[in-house]
Every structure is written in structure tokens, then in C-alpha cells.
């Protein structure tokens, strides 16, 4: 049994060239900082996931090992937060299987307790500074 994090954005207006470049920049930067080369990170589907008015869509399979799952979820949620901030006016839906992930204007996407000290007590999942 696997758990997946799903994310999608839609709006009536397609991506501008500048927004498409911003999506590419965020995706490249977040991919290079992903903590595990052997796990799935931010994964965007082409063509907005094929949904009407879809501009960005994707999913990430979450590792079963909690020591890896929590950092993966935190990293991907931070990535989706950056994408949302780069694409104004879009309607976003982010969820882990059937659980909606709440949006906070200041903090972005997060789950309760996710950013507490990590499984090893390292606190390594602290949110990066808002830029």
C-alpha cells in the first residue's frame, strides 16, 4: 500500500511565458535540493495534467519509511508552496490521498506536526526562509 501527495492548479488563463519559466526554475531548484536521490520528489505531469483549465499538476509517491517520508513530504510541500506563489490567480488543490493539505498565506502548505523535530530529533525539516 502506498501513499501519495497530489497537487494541481487550475485557472481560466494559461501560463504566461514568464510563469512557465518560473515553474521550470522552481522545479529545477527544488529537484537539486531534494534529500534522497532514490526517492520520488516533485513530479509534474505535462500539459497541466490534462484537466480543463489545468496549468500545473503532479504527484509524489511517499516512502513508507517514516524517517524518509516526513522529509519528502516537507520538501514537496515547500516546492508546491513556491509554485503557488509563482502562479497568482490559480485555484490549488493539494492533498495526501484523501486528506486535504491546508494553505496558510504566511506559512504555505503544511501539515500539523510535520515541522516539529524530525524523527531523529534533528529538526531538519524546518521551513526554508520565505523569499
Amino acid at each position: 500500500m502506498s501513499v501519495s501527495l497530489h497537487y494541481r492548479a487550475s485557472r481560466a488563463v494559461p501560463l504566461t511565458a514568464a510563469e512557465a519559466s518560473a515553474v521550470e526554475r522552481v522545479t529545477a531548484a527544488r529537484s537539486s535540493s531534494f534529500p534522497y536521490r532514490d526517492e520520488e520528489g516533485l513530479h509534474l505531469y505535462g500539459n497541466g495534467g490534462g484537466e480543463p483549465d489545468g496549468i500545473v499538476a503532479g504527484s509524489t509517491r511517499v516512502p513508507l519509511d517514516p524517517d524518509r517520508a516526513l522529509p519528502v513530504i516537507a520538501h514537496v510541500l515547500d516546492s508546491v508552496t513556491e509554485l503557488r506563489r509563482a502562479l497568482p490567480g490559480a485555484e490549488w488543490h493539494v492533498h495526501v490521498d484523501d486528506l486535504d493539505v491546508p494553505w496558510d498565506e504566511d506559512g504555505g502548505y503544511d501539515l500539523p506536526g510535520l515541522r516539529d523535530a524530525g524523527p531523529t530529533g534533528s529538526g531538519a525539516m524546518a521551513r526554508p526562509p520565505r523569499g
Side-chain angles (χ1 to χ4, degrees):
M1 174 184 240
S2 67
V3 173
S4 293
L5 179 61
H6 303 270
Y7 28 90
R8 72 174 185 264
S10 59
R11 69 175 187 210
V13 179
L15 291 177
T16 66
E19 288 172 332
S21 292
V23 168
E24 289 176 17
R25 277 192 308 277
V26 168
T27 303
R30 299 302 294 175
S31 177
S32 70
S33 66
F34 189 69
Y36 306 112
R37 295 292 163 221
D38 59 338
E39 300 290 356
E40 189 175 305
L42 182 70
H43 175 76
L44 299 181
Y45 311 138
N47 195 26
E51 295 292 319
D53 295 335
I55 56 172
V56 171
S59 66
T60 302
R61 187 178 34 217
V62 177
L64 295 177
D65 177 355
D67 286 341
R68 286 182 164 231
L70 297 178
V72 165
I73 292 169
H75 191 276
V76 173
L77 289 178
D78 289 346
S79 302
V80 175
T81 294
E82 285 188 45
L83 288 172
R84 179 176 175 147
R85 290 187 172 135
L87 303 173
E91 182 177 324
W92 284 81
H93 186 219
V94 178
H95 57 102
V96 177
D97 289 340
D98 293 332
L99 173 69
D100 286 337
V101 178
W103 171 254
D104 176 78
E105 200 60 45
D106 292 324
Y109 287 107
D110 208 354
L111 291 170
L114 181 63
R115 309 230 183 236
D116 296 345
T120 60
S122 66
M125 291 180 288
R127 178 175 295 285
R130 186 172 177 182

